[in-house]
Amino acid sequence: MADIIQLLPDSVANQIAAGEVIQRPASVVKELMENAIDAGASSVKVVVKDAGKTSIQVIDDGHGMSPTDARLAFERHSTSKIRQADDLFSIRTMGFRGEALASIAAIAHVELKSRKPDDEVGTRLRIEGSQVQEQEPVQTPAGSNFVVRNLFYNVPARRKFLKKNTTELNHLIREFRQIALARPDIGFSLSHNNTLLFKLDPENFGKRIVDVFGEVIRETITPIASDTRIVRIKGYIGHPDKAKKRGGEQFFFVNQRYMKNPYLHKAIMDAYEKIIPQGSVPAYFIHLEVPSESLDVNIHPTKTEVKFEDQQAVWQILHAAVRETLGKNHMTPMLDFDQQGNIGIPTPTGNKQVGPPTIEVNPHYNPFEDEQPGGGQKDAPGDGQPGNDELRGNQQLEGDFAGSSAPRNNQNFNWQDLYDDFEHNSGQSVIRIASGAGKPEGEPREEPGKTFFQFKEKYIITPVKSGMMVIHQQRAHRRILYEHYMKTHQEKSRVIQKELYPEVIELNNSDYNLLEQLQEDLKKVGLDLELVEGNAVKVLGVPAEADRQSPRSMIESLLEAYAREKDFGETLKQSLALSLARATSIDSGRVLEEEEMRVLVDKLFASESPNYTPDGKKIVAFIKTEDFDKMF
């Protein structure tokens, strides 16, 4: 029987390794930028076409490579940072695995031009599918110039699963921002299809944040700093009132390297507990400095996950630093007592002499006699006498209760009036769910499903034949709007509510770029935007269904929803319709009139799929009568 175990060819092994390291164009940008930083570059330029699917070019002014180094750099397990196993525990560089360039060369057409500053000429290397096609001397500036074309050209299955350009560009911008924020001392630029998206000069960390996210973030963050033997913390945290449901402005860096750490993220969220709305996330940009030997960065192929030697201590220090910063900047809730209904105590002015308060007693008071309207006694002497400042507080207290308490002599009080007021008070009307229960004889009985009751300003409850129907009002509205936007996207006629005073909203680069690409599709469903200079948009009109929502909150909700649902469905139309439905649907907590609930339920059950939202969440639930019976 023939042997069946064999060694894989290097080209196949490199393609397998590429599956771990190179997942999309953004991964190529990350690896090449990290290599440029390790090469000592003071300026890194990134140029991409078609979100990196067509070409990616990274140019740096670092140390460059000799002809031999340039050739060896594309071999597996080649690195300039590690000489022995102990070096793994003192790594302070970005890229070191020795598989990135080999993986990139296995699945793309790669061209490298590189020259060391002391050399007169550099070298040009061209590789396709791990095979060196050409190597020759060339005149080129000092540093390295990588060009990666036709990514995944020989792995069609991988290329097929790349997302649309908008999605891939967002991933690419995210990787660019992470590296740019990690090293504010280095200049970076990013261009896409001949459009400059970022031009970042070397700056301090605070200025780099503003350059990346725009001037709008300047007034929403506060510095944080803490220096201990275990960890040194510096950076910025967001104001609690600016916390958003949409993530994207949360960054951790350790030893000038971006990292993901849910454990430390919880330390920050616990520090903000009860001072931000539930489900919201504050912005934070935090640099951590720890000894290299207490950090393990070689636990994930992309090196974005790290392990601390004493992670619990780092958690406690970070949590305390955030709480201290919030307290020092008066961003935590202040002790505030409710002043409503307090007794107004007069404050003495001038040289006026204030004597002790006196108590007036009516010796003829009979508690069994009727009182005057308002609770006052018939013969209470001294009431309302001018100049008696000492008694004004007591009079005010008496007035607060006057007219609100029940008469003391219940022989003259009609208890039926209390029930009548309870039934007919227009300010607090009661909608009974039970059909016809407790109604006077001869009055027509209510039919099930004709009465609606709002519970916790979140659910609509209505009786049905089998028991009780519970409807999630926000999800119901989302289903209705989704089908409406899908229909109006195909129709030429659309209802746009023009803004009398168009609002200008400042955005960061990535959000501005996203709205720029979605502008025409947004207009088809009623959101009319005009792009203005300075990464801002002017809202000229909104969908008629969003008349009660501010344009700013709608844009933020749209960006949040689109970021969360960007891979939903097969087309941009579906994704956009769901994002707009999320952005314009009524919020939980909004009080609805009975007629509004009736219309909402009617439209829901006229839709194609009333039981579930477009993203598969449940809208309608039933509680059977038998379940109620079991409770008793």
Side-chain angles (χ1 to χ4, degrees), residues 381-435:
D383 287 351
Q385 294 181 0
N388 197 3
D389 291 340
E390 296 85 358
L391 296 180
R392 287 182 181 175
N394 293 336
Q395 292 171 1
Q396 177 65 38
L397 179 62
E398 183 182 59
D400 289 340
F401 286 94
S404 62
S405 60
R408 296 177 182 175
N409 189 353
N410 56 15
Q411 293 179 353
N412 297 325
F413 178 67
N414 186 359
W415 292 100
Q416 186 62 36
D417 294 341
L418 178 63
Y419 287 102
D420 292 340
D421 182 67
F422 185 76
E423 288 281 341
H424 301 100
N425 187 342
S426 59
Q428 297 180 352
S429 59
V430 177
I431 302 175
R432 289 180 294 188
I433 300 178
S435 57

Side-chain angles (χ1 to χ4, degrees), residues 260-326:
K260 297 177 182 178
N261 198 309
Y263 184 66
L264 295 184
H265 172 76
K266 191 175 187 303
I268 294 181
M269 295 303 297
D270 285 357
Y272 278 86
E273 188 179 11
K274 297 182 180 180
I275 61 174
I276 60 174
Q278 187 175 4
S280 298
V281 184
Y284 58 79
F285 310 85
I286 296 179
H287 275 271
L288 306 176
E289 288 288 337
V290 299
S292 299
E293 59 272 10
S294 66
L295 187 69
D296 185 2
V297 297
N298 195 25
I299 62 174
H300 193 275
T302 61
K303 302 179 295 296
T304 56
E305 297 179 11
V306 300
K307 183 178 293 185
F308 294 90
E309 182 179 10
D310 194 350
Q311 189 158 262
Q312 187 174 4
V314 176
W315 193 100
Q316 296 290 347
I317 295 171
L318 176 61
H319 180 269
V322 175
R323 292 292 297 176
E324 181 183 14
T325 302
L326 292 173

Side-chain angles (χ1 to χ4, degrees), residues 23 65 136 158 240 289 311 389 414 425 427 478 481 501 550 571 598:
Q23 301 172 354
M65 289 181 282
E136 60 181 0
R158 292 290 303 276
E289 288 288 337
Q311 189 158 262
D389 291 340
N414 186 359
N425 187 342
R478 188 179 304 163
L481 291 177
Y501 301 102
S550 69
T571 65
R598 188 185 309 278

Side-chain angles (χ1 to χ4, degrees), residues 5 40 60 207 248 250 299 311 342 353 407 517 573 614 627:
I5 303 299
D60 69 73
K207 184 63 167 59
Q250 294 77 36
I299 62 174
Q311 189 158 262
N342 283 4
Q353 297 295 327
Q517 299 183 50
K573 180 177 66 175
D627 295 332

Side-chain angles (χ1 to χ4, degrees), residues 328-534:
K328 283 184 176 180
N329 292 276
H330 308 290
M331 291 187 288
T332 54
M334 303 297 292
L335 190 61
D336 186 19
F337 295 100
D338 187 7
Q339 301 295 324
Q340 185 176 3
N342 283 4
I343 301 174
I345 301 177
T347 303
T349 58
N351 297 324
K352 181 179 179 181
Q353 297 295 327
V354 180
T358 60
I359 300 176
E360 299 291 343
V361 178
N362 180 12
H364 305 290
Y365 172 69
N366 185 352
F368 298 99
E369 292 181 355
D370 292 340
E371 298 175 347
Q372 292 181 353
Q377 299 174 7
K378 288 182 178 181
D379 301 318
D383 287 351
Q385 294 181 0
N388 197 3
D389 291 340
E390 296 85 358
L391 296 180
R392 287 182 181 175
N394 293 336
Q395 292 171 1
Q396 177 65 38
L397 179 62
E398 183 182 59
D400 289 340
F401 286 94
S404 62
S405 60
R408 296 177 182 175
N409 189 353
N410 56 15
Q411 293 179 353
N412 297 325
F413 178 67
N414 186 359
W415 292 100
Q416 186 62 36
D417 294 341
L418 178 63
Y419 287 102
D420 292 340
D421 182 67
F422 185 76
E423 288 281 341
H424 301 100
N425 187 342
S426 59
Q428 297 180 352
S429 59
V430 177
I431 302 175
R432 289 180 294 188
I433 300 178
S435 57
K439 288 196 172 185
E441 187 175 354
E443 185 174 341
R445 298 170 62 88
E446 294 180 348
E447 293 296 328
K450 300 298 183 181
T451 302
F452 298 92
F453 174 75
Q454 191 179 24
F455 179 67
K456 296 291 186 181
E457 286 81 42
K458 185 176 182 180
Y459 302 101
I460 298 173
I461 300 176
T462 182
V464 293
K465 186 175 181 180
S466 61
M468 194 78 69
M469 179 191 296
V470 183
I471 301 171
H472 194 294
Q473 69 182 37
Q474 185 183 44
R475 294 179 183 177
H477 197 210
R478 188 179 304 163
R479 160 54 69 180
I480 296 168
L481 291 177
Y482 172 77
E483 295 190 4
H484 169 76
Y485 290 135
M486 287 290 290
K487 185 180 299 182
T488 56
H489 194 281
Q490 299 173 347
E491 299 174 353
K492 294 183 179 180
S493 60
R494 55 190 177 274
V495 179
I496 300 179
Q497 180 174 299
K498 291 294 184 179
E499 293 291 305
L500 185 60
Y501 301 102
E503 183 176 355
V504 178
I505 303 172
E506 295 183 3
L507 304 168
N508 59 51
N509 295 69
S510 58
D511 291 343
Y512 180 85
N513 178 70
L514 176 60
L515 288 182
E516 183 179 18
Q517 299 183 50
L518 299 177
Q519 184 179 10
E520 292 302 320
D521 291 286
L522 289 172
K523 193 171 184 179
K524 292 179 181 179
V525 291
L527 184 57
D528 191 6
L529 304 177
E530 178 185 345
L531 302 177
V532 297
E533 295 182 357

Side-chain angles (χ1 to χ4, degrees), residues 110-239:
V110 181
E111 180 180 338
L112 167 64
K113 295 179 183 178
S114 184
R115 179 174 72 86
K116 298 175 70 69
D118 298 334
D119 294 344
E120 295 183 359
V121 296
T123 184
R124 173 178 175 270
L125 189 65
R126 186 167 62 87
I127 302 177
E128 297 179 3
S130 297
Q131 301 298 320
V132 177
Q133 303 295 325
E134 188 177 2
Q135 183 172 3
E136 60 181 0
V138 68
Q139 187 63 40
T140 184
S144 298
N145 184 340
F146 282 91
V147 181
V148 180
R149 299 186 179 93
N150 304 324
L151 191 65
F152 299 124
Y153 80 99
N154 54 353
V155 192
R158 292 290 303 276
R159 188 174 181 86
K160 176 182 177 181
F161 282 95
L162 290 178
K163 305 302 180 182
K164 50 186 177 290
N165 286 355
T166 305
T167 302
E168 294 298 340
L169 182 60
N170 284 338
H171 284 288
L172 195 149
I173 291 175
R174 187 180 299 115
E175 294 288 354
F176 178 87
R177 288 190 308 194
Q178 291 168 0
I179 297 176
L181 290 171
R183 294 299 302 267
D185 57 318
I186 299 176
F188 296 94
S189 68
L190 172 62
S191 300
H192 177 248
N193 291 347
N194 300 321
T195 300
L196 183 64
L197 301 182
F198 291 93
K199 179 67 172 68
L200 309 175
D201 297 324
E203 291 285 358
N204 58 52
F205 188 40
K207 184 63 167 59
R208 174 58 57 88
I209 295 174
V210 174
D211 291 343
V212 171
F213 289 97
E215 289 290 335
V216 68
I217 203 171
R218 185 188 295 274
E219 303 299 327
T220 66
I221 54 178
T222 299
I224 179 176
S226 178
D227 195 354
T228 67
R229 180 179 57 84
I230 298 176
V231 60
R232 182 183 180 188
I233 300 172
K234 61 180 179 179
Y236 295 84
I237 59 174
H239 297 176

